[in-house]
Amino acid sequence: MPRPIMATISVPAMQHNLNQVVAGLNADARQAGRTAPKVWAVIKAGAYGHGLAQGLAGFTAADGLAMLDLDEALACREAGWQGPLMLLEGFFEFEDISFVDTHRLTVSVHDEAQLRMLEQSSPSQPIRVNLKVNGGMHRLGFAPQAAVQAWQRLLALQKKGVVGELGTMMHFSRADDDPIVTQEQLSAFLALTSDMQGPVSVCNSAATLTPALWTQLPEARAQWVRPGICLYGSSPYAHRSASELGLRPAMTLEARIIGVQDCQPGSSVGYGHLFTASQPTRVGIVACGYADGYPRHAGTGTPVTVAGQPSRLLGRVSMDMLAVDLTHIASAGVGSRVVLWGEGGPSVDEVAEAAGTVGYELLCALAPRVPRRIEPVLRVEPNSGEHE
Ligand SMILES: *Cc1c(COP(=O)(O)O)cnc(C)c1O
C-alpha cells in the first residue's frame, strides 16, 4: 500500500482557466473597441508544478507557450506542439542558439552578453526576438538608454537575416498591488518604445486581469499577454480570491488520517509543543508533511478540510505528518479524507497566506514523492500552428 497522499492535477480546470482568461480579454477588448491580445500560456517550472504534459494538454488553445528551460521547449516540440514557444530568459550560452534555431524558438534578449552571442551567430533562419527592457524591477532587461542602442543592433541583425520578427517586452514588479507604480512603469515603457515596432508583451497574470493596463498599448502592435499563475487556479492578488476571479484549482492535494490522539487540557502536540490543548481535543494525524511540499511555516489555525468539514492545523508541521483538529468532527477517524488545498478544501492561496508565502511557491514545491493522478482531458485540439 502506498502512503495515503495524492495530488490530483485537473486538465479540465486548466482548460477552464485559460478559457476564462481569454473570455475576459475578449470582453474587455470589445468594450475598448480593439483587438484582444494573444496569449503566451506560461508553463515554466514544469507548468508550475502540475507537470509539463498537463500544461500542454491544458493549454492547447493558447497562442503560444512560454518557459525558461530549453529542455521544456524541446519536450513541447517532441509532444507535437507546432506553435510559438518563447524562452522568457532567452538563451544562456552560444551553443544554445543552434538549439533555438532548430526548434524555432522565440527568445527574449535582455543582456549585452546575449546580444554579442547573436551578433556572432549565423542561424539557418531568422530568430524571433523580444528585446527585454528593465521597467523598474531591476531583474532582467536593458536600462532605458541601453535598450535604444540594443534595438538598433537588433535591427541591424534583422537586416542581416539573423533576427526575424522583433518585438519588445517588459515585466511589471507590482501589477498585483500598486496601480500607481504600475502605471508609471507602463508609461515609461510606452515612451521608451514608441519608435520600436513589432509585437509587445508586458502583462503577467496580475496585469492580464487588469484591462486598464493592456488597453493602453498601441493597437498597431500585436500584443501578447503572459499569464501564468491564474491558469493554474491561483490568484495573483492578495485581496482577490481565485474563485472570485472565476478560476478553478488545477491542483488538489489530499491525504488521509493515519492516527488519532485524544489530548487532555494541558497536553501538547508535535515538535516544540507549539500547540497545547486548553480543552479535551481530538487530534488527527495526517499523512502529509513538509517533505511532501506542505509548508512548514504554516501554523496552528491554517485552514484544512477533514471529511468535508472545515478544520484547522494544530502545532508544527513535521517532515511526513501534520496534525489537525477533529474535536468537532465526530465522524472523522483513521482513513478520513483530508484536503490540504484545492477542490473541496481551502484554496492554495489561503494555505500560502497562513505560511507567509504565495500559492506559486506551494504549487511549484509539490514534492516528487507525492503520487499524481491526472484528471482526464475532455478535448485536446493540436495547435494549428497558424501563428507560425
Ligand atoms: C513567470 C513569468 C510570467 C507569469 O507570471 P504570473 O505572475 O505567474 O502570471 C510572465 N512573464 C515572465 C517573464 C515570467 O517569468
Side-chain angles (χ1 to χ4, degrees):
M1 270 289 274
R3 251 173 103 233
I5 182 168
M6 175 79 74
T8 301
I9 308 297
S10 169
V11 172
M14 291 157 78
Q15 292 170 330
H16 164 87
N17 294 335
L18 176 60
N19 285 342
Q20 186 76 8
V21 168
V22 169
L25 289 170
N26 286 338
D28 294 331
R30 219 175 302 121
Q31 192 151 18
R34 51 181 296 149
T35 46
K38 291 181 184 175
V39 176
W40 291 113
V42 180
I43 57 164
K44 62 188 175 187
Y48 288 50
H50 297 68
L52 198 68
Q54 283 66 255
L56 267 165
F59 308 137
T60 43
D63 299 292
L65 302 174
M67 70 282 291
L68 309 178
D69 284 300
L70 281 68
D71 281 354
E72 290 187 332
L74 179 62
C76 291
R77 286 286 182 246
E78 286 177 348
W81 176 270
Q82 301 287 321
L85 291 173
M86 173 159 60
L87 295 177
L88 292 164
E89 295 178 350
F91 46 87
F92 303 98
E93 47 188 305
F94 186 75
E95 285 67 35
D96 296 343
I97 295 178
S98 68
F99 180 91
V100 164
D101 181 18
T102 305
H103 299 290
R104 296 170 289 113
L105 309 182
T106 300
V107 296
S108 145
V109 166
H110 59 79
D111 190 85
E112 170 68 26
Q114 290 174 322
L115 206 47
R116 261 186 259 131
M117 289 184 236
L118 264 186
E119 284 169 343
Q120 254 131 63
S121 71
S122 41
S124 70
Q125 57 194 325
I127 295 172
R128 294 186 195 190
V129 171
N130 284 316
L131 172 69
K132 185 153 188 186
V133 176
N134 165 24
M137 185 173 195
H138 297 95
R139 199 173 61 174
L140 294 184
F142 288 91
Q145 277 81 33
V148 174
Q149 285 155 22
W151 182 260
Q152 294 307 325
R153 286 164 68 184
L154 288 166
L155 283 179
L157 288 174
Q158 199 175 37
K159 287 210 187 73
K160 286 175 60 186
V162 171
V163 166
E165 187 179 56
L166 179 57
T168 48
M169 65 188 285
M170 189 266 280
H171 196 74
F172 291 119
S173 43
R174 301 198 64 178
D176 58 323
D177 73 345
D178 192 328
I180 294 169
V181 166
T182 304
Q183 181 60 51
E184 284 168 3
Q185 291 183 345
L186 179 58
S187 301
F189 173 82
L190 289 174
L192 178 72
T193 59
S194 62
D195 293 332
M196 301 178 187
Q197 302 303 311
V200 56
S201 178
V202 297
C203 293
N204 59 1
S205 293
T208 298
L209 302 176
T210 310
L213 286 175
W214 59 259
T215 52
Q216 292 178 46
L217 283 140
E219 258 283 39
R221 289 193 249 167
Q223 184 179 173
W224 289 74
V225 293
R226 309 188 302 267
I229 195 71
C230 62
L231 302 180
Y232 303 95
S234 165
S235 173
Y237 310 108
H239 301 293
R240 269 166 88 191
S241 71
S243 66
E244 268 174 71
L245 296 168
L247 304 172
R248 282 172 45 194
M251 181 192 293
T252 299
L253 179 62
E254 65 178 85
R256 291 191 185 274
I257 291 177
I258 56 171
V260 175
Q261 300 284 340
D262 286 303
C263 290
Q264 296 312 308
S267 50
S268 299
V269 175
Y271 286 119
H273 286 188
L274 296 195
F275 173 79
T276 299
S278 56
Q279 56 187 51
T281 303
R282 245 179 111 234
V283 177
I285 306 302
V286 182
C288 176
Y290 61 78
D292 299 299
Y294 194 90
R296 184 173 174 277
H297 288 97
T300 295
T302 301
V304 59
T305 299
V306 180
Q309 305 294 314
S311 185
R312 59 177 183 147
L313 192 74
L314 297 177
R316 184 173 277 164
V317 174
S318 303
M319 185 171 172
D320 311 306
M321 286 169 274
L322 53 80
V324 296
D325 194 351
L326 304 183
T327 312
H328 59 297
I329 313 174
S331 66
V334 168
S336 291
R337 180 170 183 253
V338 177
V339 180
L340 286 317
W341 63 66
E343 202 66 54
S347 71
V348 72
D349 300 319
E350 290 172 279
V351 178
E353 195 192 349
T357 184
V358 286
Y360 298 74
E361 189 180 8
L362 303 193
L363 297 175
C364 294
L366 183 72
R369 80 175 189 183
V370 177
R372 269 75 162 167
R373 176 169 60 205
I374 311 302
E375 264 186 20
V377 182
L378 297 180
R379 187 165 52 97
V380 182
E381 288 166 359
N383 184 286
S384 63
E386 64 178 312
H387 302 297
E388 274 292 279

